Amino acid sequence: QAQPFGSGTTVGTVGTGGQSARSSFDHGTMVLPMSLLRTAQNQPMMVELKNGETYSGVLASCDGFMNLHMRDIVCTSRDGERFWKIPECYVRGNSIKYLRLPDEVIDMVKDEPQSRKEIRQQFKARGRGRGKGEGRGRGRGGQSAGPEKRAGGGGDKAGKKARP
């Protein structure tokens, strides 16, 4: 029987410091775990739990706690002697020891913007909401008032007399 993960990449989550079994991560690019999981949706993967059981199937979805919803799973007991075919299952994120993903998923992640800074820069070019970009309301004083009010000296105290 062919192994679907023969040339895959192992992503450790507990005890491995996030280091991979292959060198595809070691070329100066950092891949964040959540972006890796989001990209891996609808892709085959293998999950080993802390109790030793393995779940091989297709990732349907994931959330911010690394909880996984998988489809078409083959569950293997920790001793490797018993197997179960499960149509659908939910894996709690804190019980995961490691994930094994196909190398194509890593390549797909590298093509996406990797950091929040890059994502912010993409949206910075857009305009911000309504208005002409003249500021955020009235403010406190003459600095944000229109040109006709600024000519009189500006500020809240412009119309008041000075005390002796």
Side-chain angles (χ1 to χ4, degrees), residues 124-145:
K124 218 174 200 178
R126 294 185 183 178
R128 290 185 178 255
R130 298 189 295 193
K132 300 175 187 170
E134 293 178 0
R136 301 177 133 219
R138 283 184 60 189
R140 294 182 52 131
Q143 297 301 321
S144 64

Side-chain angles (χ1 to χ4, degrees), residues 25 27-33 35 109-110 114-115:
F25 285 124
H27 296 296
T29 56
M30 182 177 70
V31 179
L32 299 174
S35 62
V109 174
K110 288 180 183 177
Q114 294 180 353
S115 68

Side-chain angles (χ1 to χ4, degrees), residues 95-148:
S95 65
I96 297 173
K97 185 190 291 183
Y98 71 85
L99 307 167
R100 192 164 172 103
L101 303 166
D103 289 333
E104 296 80 44
V105 174
I106 306 295
D107 298 332
M108 289 170 17
V109 174
K110 288 180 183 177
D111 295 339
E112 295 178 4
Q114 294 180 353
S115 68
R116 292 178 193 224
K117 188 175 183 180
E118 288 179 31
I119 293 169
R120 246 185 273 124
Q121 286 175 349
Q122 286 179 353
F123 289 105
K124 218 174 200 178
R126 294 185 183 178
R128 290 185 178 255
R130 298 189 295 193
K132 300 175 187 170
E134 293 178 0
R136 301 177 133 219
R138 283 184 60 189
R140 294 182 52 131
Q143 297 301 321
S144 64
E148 62 279 345

